[in-house]
Amino acid sequence: MKTIYFIRHAQSEANLKDILASRQDVPLSEKGRADAAVIAAGFKSIATLDHIVCSPLLRAQQTAEPIARAFDLKMETDERITEQELGVFSGMTYAELDERPDYMHERSKRWNWVPEGGGESYEMIAQRLEPFFQSLETMDGENILFVTHAVTLRLIKAHLQQTLPAYPHEIAKNGEIWKINFTGFGNSHEVESIFLGGSKEVASRA
């Protein structure tokens, strides 16, 4: 059995400005960088890590970097845990999205909804996560951290709790950590939330 952790990246410039970043490569905000350092120090005091893997997007890598330094580990990237591709809606503010009838505002109806312009449905995210979860069983290390994103974490939790095609409507907060005692792909798992620094106070839409 492995102990795996998932963390949503710290506050990004897009979060700060109420922008739906999708796969745009936005950096962490000043607060996000400070929070990432606090989270790294706090996490070092409560956990052991053998491996750190993050989304290739900049905001995830900037969150992972201080954690990797704290644990003296090299950081790897995995495209399978990147954020949802939102096509034409990428980079819009939430105020702009509110005026777009072609955006799927109802969270419960996004399973088959494919955003215009090469976007990715929730079903497509769930499908790309299947080989990721299957690979966990043979991945090196017993204690592994994955740094990823809000919407992807929504589908990660649905996989872990075996609820698909249903998925949670709430999202992880910036900097929120999930701890799972991983017993294998296809099993149902409990997800424990851990908040370090100010992560419990930060929320954004998705």
Side-chain angles (χ1 to χ4, degrees):
M1 184 173 67
K2 295 180 185 289
T3 301
I4 60 173
Y5 301 90
F6 292 95
I7 181 172
R8 182 185 174 193
H9 63 81
Q11 185 192 69
S12 70
E13 287 289 342
N15 297 141
L16 181 64
K17 298 171 183 175
D18 278 338
I19 292 171
L20 194 63
S22 181
R23 294 194 188 172
Q24 293 189 344
D25 226 4
V26 296
L28 294 184
S29 66
E30 183 177 349
K31 173 178 170 50
R33 292 192 297 272
D35 285 346
V38 171
I39 289 166
F43 198 42
K44 175 68 173 176
S45 70
I46 64 170
T48 299
L49 284 183
D50 305 309
H51 209 49
I52 297 176
V53 182
C54 72
S55 155
L57 296 179
L58 180 60
R59 56 195 183 272
Q61 293 195 50
Q62 289 181 333
T63 301
E65 284 166 357
I67 302 173
R69 287 195 299 270
F71 286 89
D72 194 24
L73 293 171
K74 290 185 177 180
M75 183 179 68
E76 297 184 15
T77 60
D78 191 330
E79 181 71 30
R80 296 173 297 183
I81 59 171
T82 194
E83 184 56 302
Q84 180 186 24
E85 173 55 65
L86 277 160
V88 298
F89 305 104
S90 299
M92 289 188 181
T93 66
Y94 286 104
E96 289 170 331
L97 286 174
D98 288 342
E99 302 300 318
R100 293 289 297 253
D102 52 342
Y103 180 74
M104 181 53 70
H105 298 278
E106 177 54 59
R107 291 183 180 91
S108 65
K109 296 181 179 179
R110 294 177 183 168
W111 179 248
N112 297 120
W113 174 65
V114 180
E116 182 183 347
E120 189 178 31
S121 69
Y122 278 19
E123 182 179 21
M124 293 162 71
I125 299 170
Q127 288 172 349
R128 70 165 149 91
L129 286 170
E130 284 188 14
F132 162 74
F133 276 109
Q134 291 166 348
S135 71
L136 290 185
E137 298 179 23
T138 56
M139 187 175 290
D140 290 341
E142 298 300 316
N143 304 279
I144 308 169
L145 172 69
F146 300 95
V147 186
T148 181
H149 306 269
V151 175
T152 302
L153 279 167
R154 187 176 272 155
L155 279 304
I156 284 172
K157 181 176 273 191
H159 265 299
L160 288 168
Q161 296 182 333
Q162 290 292 289
T163 64
L164 292 170
Y167 48 85
H169 295 174
E170 74 280 0
I171 59 170
K173 300 182 188 303
N174 290 118
E176 181 177 347
I177 299 169
W178 293 347
K179 179 181 179 180
I180 300 96
N181 294 319
F182 186 71
T183 59
F185 179 66
N187 295 333
S188 182
H189 298 84
E190 291 186 11
V191 178
E192 176 189 354
S193 288
I194 301 170
F195 296 95
L196 300 170
S199 56
K200 196 168 187 177
E201 303 165 5
V202 179
S204 63
R205 296 166 60 184

